[in-house]
Amino acid sequence: LGDEPLVCEGGVRAHHMLGALVSCKARSPMLLKALASVHVALGTLVNLVQNSCVGQETNRLAGARVAAALTYHAVSLATREAEGGAAAYLARLQVELLKAYDPRFTVPGRDPVAELLAEASALQDSLLAHAKASEYAAATPGGVLAERLRDDSDLPAKVLPQLPGP
């Protein structure tokens, strides 16, 4: 599309519209397609250097939160529907929005936003607790899941894969 602020705003609005469906206990398998579509759209946002985002920071923070929520719900739904390939793809955490606002990543020209660390960690922890966490980490060797599993001081990364999960 070429208009990143518009794509980000569209992703946030689509997430708000899908919110009622996501919160239902009996979620339709078709919801996965909608969640994955918004996830892919948000994945096109790559211009995240602060100087070029002047006046858009709130929009990008909302987009990062939406990307995290979409990823969590899409991986959960893909797992439930036995869509292993989709779950593995989404769990790679390759959306730039998920990295740009996580203080563990450095993006040239961007200062880390510490307020989103808890949310980034919660998404990563949910993926680390997944039964296929080691497969997800192996699929992206330089990714955050692989790094957290290698870090001996990261207690949740050591314990969560050992717990029974989905």
Side-chain angles (χ1 to χ4, degrees):
L1 188 64
D3 189 349
E4 290 197 359
L6 183 62
V7 171
C8 189
E9 180 67 24
V12 170
R13 288 182 184 217
H15 178 259
H16 288 301
M17 287 188 276
L18 293 171
L21 296 173
V22 168
S23 64
C24 291
K25 288 188 185 230
R27 293 184 282 181
S28 167
M30 295 304 294
L31 180 59
L32 178 59
K33 185 174 182 178
L35 292 173
S37 296
V38 177
H39 179 86
V40 168
L42 290 174
T44 64
L45 303 177
V46 294
N47 188 14
L48 299 170
V49 178
Q50 282 169 325
N51 295 348
S52 63
C53 293
V54 173
Q56 302 171 29
E57 207 55 39
T58 303
N59 190 8
R60 294 297 169 108
L61 287 170
R65 286 186 165 107
V66 165
L70 282 171
T71 302
Y72 171 79
H73 291 296
V75 170
S76 298
L77 189 56
T79 300
R80 190 189 86 194
E81 297 300 322
E83 293 284 349
Y89 174 80
L90 294 163
R92 290 175 35 213
L93 301 180
Q94 293 301 300
V95 174
E96 292 298 316
L97 276 171
L98 293 175
K99 293 190 263 182
Y101 294 100
D102 186 338
R104 286 178 284 254
F105 289 99
T106 56
V107 175
R110 169 164 292 288
D111 296 326
V113 180
E115 71 185 72
L116 289 180
L117 179 59
E119 292 176 44
S121 293
L123 171 62
Q124 295 162 13
D125 289 350
S126 72
L127 293 175
L128 287 168
H130 197 282
K132 296 188 176 191
S134 59
E135 290 177 36
Y136 296 161
T140 312
V144 67
L145 294 182
E147 293 300 320
R148 286 195 61 192
L149 286 172
R150 273 196 292 273
D151 183 1
D152 290 331
S153 66
D154 191 344
L155 186 60
K158 297 299 178 207
V159 173
L160 288 171
Q162 307 304 318
L163 299 175

